[in-house]
Amino acid sequence: MSDSKAPLPTDAEQPQNIQLPGSPPPPPETEVRAPTTSSVKRGPLVDVDVVPEDPAPEALELVVAAKDTDNKRDSFDETEPLLPPPEFTQYVADSFTDGSGNIVSHDKHLNEDGKYYCPTFCPGFGSPNGYPSLVGEALYRFILEHASTRPSLLVKCKGSHTEWRTRQVTRYEDGKNITSTETYSERVVDFDFTLDVSSAILSDPQGAPIWIVGDKEAVHRGRRRREVDSPPKISLDRHDPPPADLEVGYASPTPPKRTWRRRATDAEKKASASWRERRENYGYAPWVLIRGQIRGMEATVDAPSDELRDSLLHSAHAPAEHGGQWYDDSFVGHPTKTLRDWADEYCASKRALKEFNFEKVVYGWNMGALRQAIEATIRNNYAYQEKVEVTFVTEGNRISIRADNWFSRMLSKKWLVVILWITLIYPLFIWPFWKFSSRGGGPCEVAGSAFALCRWVHLPDSVPGETVEEYTARCGNVASSSRGPMPKKLILKATPRGISQLIGKREGEWFQEWEETIGSLVRQRYSDGLPLAKPLGSDRSIGIGLDGYYPERDRLLRF
C-alpha cells in the first residue's frame, strides 16, 4: 500500500448520485457560471446574461427586448406585440328589487374604476393602441344581463264620484248641548281594477335592441342639468364654423368621441319633452324620427352587428295622418357613443350621488287611441260618468346603479326619505347639495332597451319593388294557426326592401278581446288590486275536441 494520496477525480470521474429505492429523483443539473459585471436587470423569462455561442437573430431580438422591459412599462410601442387580453370572470353584483319591480344596485364594483378585473401589468393597457380599459366592464355586463328581461305593462282603470251627505253634530256651548246638521262631501270609488297586458309583449330571440339617446336630445348626461352633445344652433344656422373656444368643449373623464357637450336651452328642453310625449302616446320606437322633429333627436341602436340594426328598418307600426306617415324609420344610425363608453364615463365620475338609469320602453301600440276606446267603453257602462281614470303603467322598466356610499344607500330607502322631509333635513340640506354641489347629484339617463307589442318583420324571400299581390301569388298568404290546422291570413305591406309581415297583436285586436270584460267589470263595480291576465270567458278548451267547432273569433277569420 502506497502512502501517496490519490489524485482528485476529473469532471468525467465525478461520483454519480445514487438514487435509493423510494427516494425522489435528484434535481436536474444546471450549469453554474461565475457572475458577470453586467448591470442589466434580469427579465422575468430570459436570462439576459447568458447568450448562446451562435445565437439566432430571433434570440438576439428577444434579449434586447428583455433588457428594455423596465423602460417600456411606462411607454407603449405600437410595433411591440400585445399580450393576450386578461381573462374575464363573470361577477354577480349585489342588487335588490323595489316595490315597482325595478332593479337597484349599490355594488362597489359597478361604480369603481375596474381594479377588480385589471391585471397587475399589461403593456399598453388603457392606451389608444393597446387593449381598452376595463373601467366600466362590470357595469356594462350587469346591464346586458338584465336588459332583455321583459317589463310588465298594466292598464289601470278607476272610476269615482262625489256624494254630498248630511250628519248630526252635537257641540257643547254655554253649558248647553247644541245639535246641528252639517253637509259634507265624500269621494266614493265605484270600481278600481287592473288589466295585465304583459303577455302581448313580443320576445326577441336576439335579445331586446339597446338604444342610445340622440346627440340633440336634452337629457341628463351625468350632471345635474340636462345637456346635449351638439354645437350651438346659431353656428348651424349661419353655416359658419363654431368659435375656437367652443370647439374645445370641456374635458371628459374618458376620451370622448365628440367634442361638444353643453347645457340644453329652454327650446331644446321643450322640444325633447314634446318628442317623448308624442312617442309614448303614439307608440313609436325610440329610434323613429317624428315629422317636425330635428334630425339627431331620435335615438340610435347599439347593435353588435349590422344585421340586427337592419332588421329594425321599416319596422314601426304607428298611425297615419291624412294618408301620410307621421314618422321616418328608414334609417337607424350608429351611436357616436356606445353603452360601454357611457359605462366608462359613469364609473370615472366622482360624484357622491351619481346614478345610472337604464330604461326599458314598450312600443308598437297607439296608446292615445286605445285610452280613448277604453274610456268610451267605461262611460257606456258607468252611471255617474264623473271621473274616469285610465292610465298605462310600466313596471320593472328601470335598472338603477347608484353610488356605493352610505349617503346614497340612505336615500334609497323611501321611509327614511319621508322622515328627512318631515324633519326638513332633505329640503334644507340634502336637496341643495344634490342640486348645486359639484360633488352632488349626477344622473345619467342615456340608454335603454326596447320591447315591441307588434312590428313589421322583413320577409327574406321577398324581392325589392315587389307588391303584396305579386308576393301573395308567388308564395301564398296563409300560415298555420297556433291552435290547429286552421289557416290564418297574414298581414303584409310593401317596403323599399320588399315585403314585410306584421307580427304580434295589434291594439284593436287586444281591445276586441277585452271590451266585454271591461264593461262587465264596470257594471259589477269590481275593485281588486290583483291584475287580470285574461279576459272573462277566455277559456277556449270547451268544445275544442268536437269536429267542426271553432271559437267565435277563429270562425270569423275562417269564413
Side-chain angles (χ1 to χ4, degrees), residues 233-379:
K233 191 175 185 300
I234 182 173
S235 64
L236 298 180
D237 293 341
R238 297 175 55 189
H239 300 284
D240 294 334
D245 56 343
L246 293 179
E247 278 187 346
V248 179
Y250 65 84
S252 178
T254 57
K257 294 186 177 180
R258 51 182 177 268
T259 57
W260 288 103
R261 183 169 298 179
R262 58 179 177 81
R263 185 183 304 177
T265 62
D266 294 339
E268 290 172 334
K269 295 178 183 178
K270 184 177 180 180
S272 298
S274 175
W275 179 84
R276 277 184 169 267
E277 182 180 359
R278 292 177 63 186
R279 177 180 63 81
E280 296 174 358
N281 191 34
Y282 292 106
Y284 294 110
W287 52 84
V288 172
L289 180 65
I290 304 176
R291 178 181 297 178
Q293 299 298 313
I294 303 174
R295 173 69 70 178
M297 293 184 62
E298 76 281 5
T300 55
V301 177
D302 188 5
S305 62
D306 293 336
E307 181 180 358
L308 178 59
R309 182 179 289 102
D310 293 342
S311 65
L312 302 175
L313 297 176
H314 305 287
S315 64
H317 175 259
E321 179 186 30
H322 305 298
Q325 290 183 334
W326 283 10
Y327 59 91
D328 179 16
D329 62 343
S330 60
F331 175 76
V332 180
H334 295 262
T336 54
K337 202 167 188 178
T338 62
L339 176 62
R340 174 58 192 275
D341 297 331
W342 284 111
D344 293 343
E345 183 172 332
Y346 168 81
C347 292
S349 176
K350 302 301 181 182
R351 294 178 179 269
L353 297 178
K354 64 180 181 178
E355 182 176 1
F356 191 97
N357 294 321
F358 186 88
E359 182 184 7
K360 301 177 183 179
V361 299
V362 180
Y363 70 96
W365 283 4
N366 188 343
M367 295 300 184
L370 182 58
R371 182 184 295 106
Q372 295 177 0
I374 296 176
E375 289 181 355
T377 302
I378 292 176
R379 295 186 182 280

Side-chain angles (χ1 to χ4, degrees), residues 2 33 101 214 224 259 281 290 313-314 340 380 471 479 521 525 531 541 558:
S2 175
R33 292 179 179 269
R224 301 179 302 276
T259 57
N281 191 34
I290 304 176
L313 297 176
H314 305 287
R340 174 58 192 275
N380 291 338
Y471 178 82
L521 295 176
R525 301 170 68 94
S541 61
R558 182 177 177 83

Side-chain angles (χ1 to χ4, degrees), residues 155-162 187-193 370-391 518 522:
V155 182
K156 295 188 175 182
C157 304
K158 184 178 181 180
S160 60
H161 69 280
T162 303
R187 199 73 183 175
V188 178
V189 177
D190 299 309
F191 60 89
D192 186 4
F193 56 88
L370 182 58
R371 182 184 295 106
Q372 295 177 0
I374 296 176
E375 289 181 355
T377 302
I378 292 176
R379 295 186 182 280
N380 291 338
N381 297 271
Y382 187 36
Y384 294 98
Q385 300 187 9
E386 181 177 343
K387 186 176 182 180
V388 176
E389 301 176 8
V390 178
T391 56
I518 295 174
V522 173

Side-chain angles (χ1 to χ4, degrees), residues 430-444:
I430 298 179
W431 186 85
F433 172 77
W434 184 93
K435 185 69 176 178
F436 302 107
S437 175
S438 60
R439 292 280 183 173
C444 189

Side-chain angles (χ1 to χ4, degrees), residues 314 456-459 462 491-495 498-502:
H314 305 287
W456 295 96
V457 177
H458 174 69
L459 298 177
S462 61
I491 302 176
L492 307 175
K493 79 169 183 177
T495 64
I499 303 299
S500 296
Q501 174 191 352
L502 183 66

Side-chain angles (χ1 to χ4, degrees), residues 469-549:
E469 292 76 13
E470 295 174 351
Y471 178 82
T472 303
R474 182 170 57 89
C475 301
N477 191 19
V478 293
S480 61
S481 175
S482 59
R483 288 185 292 272
M486 185 208 68
K488 181 179 179 182
K489 188 176 181 180
L490 301 181
I491 302 176
L492 307 175
K493 79 169 183 177
T495 64
R497 302 176 60 190
I499 303 299
S500 296
Q501 174 191 352
L502 183 66
I503 62 173
K505 185 180 297 183
R506 293 174 293 179
E507 61 269 27
E509 298 173 343
W510 179 89
F511 177 73
Q512 185 177 6
E513 295 178 358
W514 284 87
E515 182 179 8
E516 184 60 32
T517 299
I518 295 174
S520 177
L521 295 176
V522 173
R523 292 190 300 268
Q524 298 176 14
R525 301 170 68 94
Y526 182 82
S527 296
D528 192 358
L530 185 64
L532 297 177
K534 295 182 180 180
L536 301 178
S538 61
D539 187 5
R540 300 190 178 185
S541 61
I542 302 176
I544 199 66
L546 301 178
D547 187 16
Y549 176 82

